[in-house]
Amino acid sequence: MVCDAKSHKRKVLVIGAGPAGCAAAMVIARGGFEVDVLRGNNPGGQLMGAGVVENVLGVTPKRGYQIIADMAEQAEKFGVHFIDDTAFNIDDSARPFKVTCDSGDVLQPDAVILATGGSPRMLGIPGENEYWGKGVSSCAVCDCFMVKGKHAIIIGGGDSAVDHILHLVDYADTITLCVRSERMRAAPHSQKKLQSYLTCKSGEEPKLRILYNTDIVSVRGDGERLAHVQLRDKTTGVVSEAAAAGLFLAIGHIPQSDVCPVSVQKNDDGTIYLPSRTQATTCPGFFAAGDVADSVYRQVDIAKGDGTKAGHDAIRYLWSLQD
Ligand code: NDP
């Protein structure tokens, strides 16, 4: 007997309720399948901590949490069901999958889409958590407005650090990049783009200065906004204080992929390995979308696109089960 979506509704579980998860869930609901979304411990993901986001195509500038709220509302209108719970184990030894949640509930979806995102690597220094979203950020594109006409400090030495500088030069008055070692890891062609900001006309301060062998040891403010950052010169041990309206962490992201069953292969950096141009992983019926499978772009529009693809991939997989 042919089992179609109407006579036996196949179920999809989306893990993660950021842009990738909402996009995937909406596609599936509109495709006529049941879909649950586990919101997890940090509903909405990284976007919830962003300031005003200006670079989402078709969305007027608004705060990250508002964008997430709009996405969730739109998905709900099509029948997506959000659950406030977190997956901690996925058994893929048979189908349906068995997904055990923190609450003790066990969900049994026919397909799973992992959209758990990534968490920015943190410095682990005093004041960092307190001023997160109040001057400390990991997203120059989202939070550039807060350093308009002021001093910004960036920590990191990879391509993300260069990207942060290139975004902030049009906003910040001056920028200091702190690199923990004696060299930057960013590609040479990226580093070349910084040259013009390091030089200046006589008598003027350069837009950008780079401090090598420099750590950040603490951040301080008035409780509402970040005001100062303490820097330590690792060669001399001298600690100095710099006024700053923004501290941007560009020290990498940690993909939240721990919950995956072992049949889901990962890349060396912990992101999910996608063997083709689809969002299918190495485990049949298990898909991944957004930052958990992407270490390069990490943008809302990309995550939405990945989620949309994952939704269509999952639907195609469910159709194949009905043959
Ligand atoms: P990377 O891992 O490439 O670089 C991280 C940087 O942060 C390194 O300089 C590292 O120092 C430094 N760092 C790590 N931990 C600390 C710490 N606790 N304190 C101070 N500094 C620290 O991460 P990115 O996010 O820059 O890039 C990730 C990937 O995405 C890369 O493959 C990159 O090429 C790619 N990417 C590409 C872009 C592009 O092509 N336009 C843009 C952005 C990213 P150290 O070198 O000493 O380890």
Side-chain angles (χ1 to χ4, degrees), residues 1-317:
M1 179 189 128
V2 176
C3 172
D4 67 19
K6 287 193 179 88
S7 62
H8 171 91
K9 270 204 168 180
R10 299 276 183 185
K11 272 196 180 172
V12 181
L13 178 68
V14 177
I15 307 178
C22 288
M26 198 172 89
V27 167
I28 291 159
R30 285 172 57 82
F33 292 94
E34 277 184 27
V35 54
D36 290 330
V37 178
L38 286 179
R39 277 196 240 250
N41 291 325
N42 180 22
Q46 297 168 58
L47 205 51
M48 296 298 280
V52 175
V53 181
E54 301 169 330
N55 65 329
V56 180
L57 190 64
V59 176
T60 51
K62 57 176 77 165
R63 295 192 66 91
Y65 70 86
Q66 288 172 323
I67 295 177
I68 284 293
D70 291 348
M71 288 178 184
E73 188 185 325
Q74 192 175 355
E76 267 176 327
K77 278 188 183 146
F78 289 104
V80 172
H81 177 227
F82 288 90
I83 301 173
D84 289 318
D85 211 343
T86 302
F88 82 85
N89 185 60
I90 301 175
D91 179 353
D92 66 332
S93 57
R95 298 294 181 273
F97 292 89
K98 284 194 178 56
V99 180
T100 311
C101 301
D102 281 355
S103 64
D105 287 354
V106 178
L107 306 174
Q108 300 199 32
D110 299 285
V112 174
I113 296 176
L114 190 74
T116 39
S119 48
R121 185 169 285 126
M122 306 282 281
L123 290 166
I125 55 168
E128 185 180 35
N129 286 331
E130 184 185 352
Y131 289 101
W132 189 255
K134 298 175 181 174
V136 181
S137 166
S138 61
C139 180
V141 179
C142 322
D143 290 328
C144 45
F145 75 95
M146 71 187 179
V147 294
K148 199 158 179 51
K150 296 178 180 154
H151 182 54
I153 295 181
I154 300 167
I155 176 109
D159 288 315
S160 293
V162 173
D163 269 10
H164 273 66
I165 293 166
L166 297 177
H167 278 297
L168 293 178
V169 282
D170 290 333
Y171 294 86
D173 184 29
T174 48
I175 299 170
T176 302
L177 173 67
C178 299
V179 181
R180 71 173 169 184
S181 65
E182 68 287 343
R183 54 175 284 278
M184 289 179 68
R185 186 196 286 219
H189 71 268
S190 302
Q191 293 190 45
K192 258 192 191 161
K193 295 179 192 160
L194 304 182
Q195 279 312 316
S196 61
Y197 304 112
L198 288 162
T199 51
C200 56
K201 294 178 199 147
S202 68
E204 281 181 21
E205 203 185 333
K207 185 92 181 174
L208 169 68
R209 69 180 178 144
I210 301 181
L211 303 178
Y212 291 95
N213 291 305
T214 301
D215 276 337
I216 293 183
V217 289
S218 71
V219 298
R220 293 195 295 114
D222 62 4
E224 288 302 314
R225 300 288 319 162
L226 168 81
H228 293 97
V229 173
Q230 279 198 314
L231 313 175
R232 187 172 69 94
D233 181 329
K234 290 166 77 175
T235 50
T236 63
V238 171
V239 174
S240 59
E241 193 162 82
L247 169 63
F248 293 87
L249 312 185
I251 58 174
H253 277 71
I254 302 168
Q256 305 199 86
S257 56
D258 288 353
V259 75
C260 284
V262 286
S263 63
V264 176
Q265 276 180 38
K266 296 181 189 174
N267 298 307
D268 289 344
D269 62 4
T271 52
I272 307 295
Y273 169 60
L274 302 177
S276 70
R277 282 178 59 91
T278 73
Q279 303 302 127
T281 70
T282 48
C283 170
F286 196 100
F287 304 86
D291 288 9
V292 75
D294 168 25
S295 60
V296 178
Y297 299 105
R298 296 196 299 262
Q299 294 289 307
V300 175
D301 282 330
I302 304 289
K304 275 162 52 182
D306 282 356
T308 304
K309 282 170 63 189
H312 287 293
D313 294 337
I315 287 175
R316 229 166 276 133
Y317 171 77

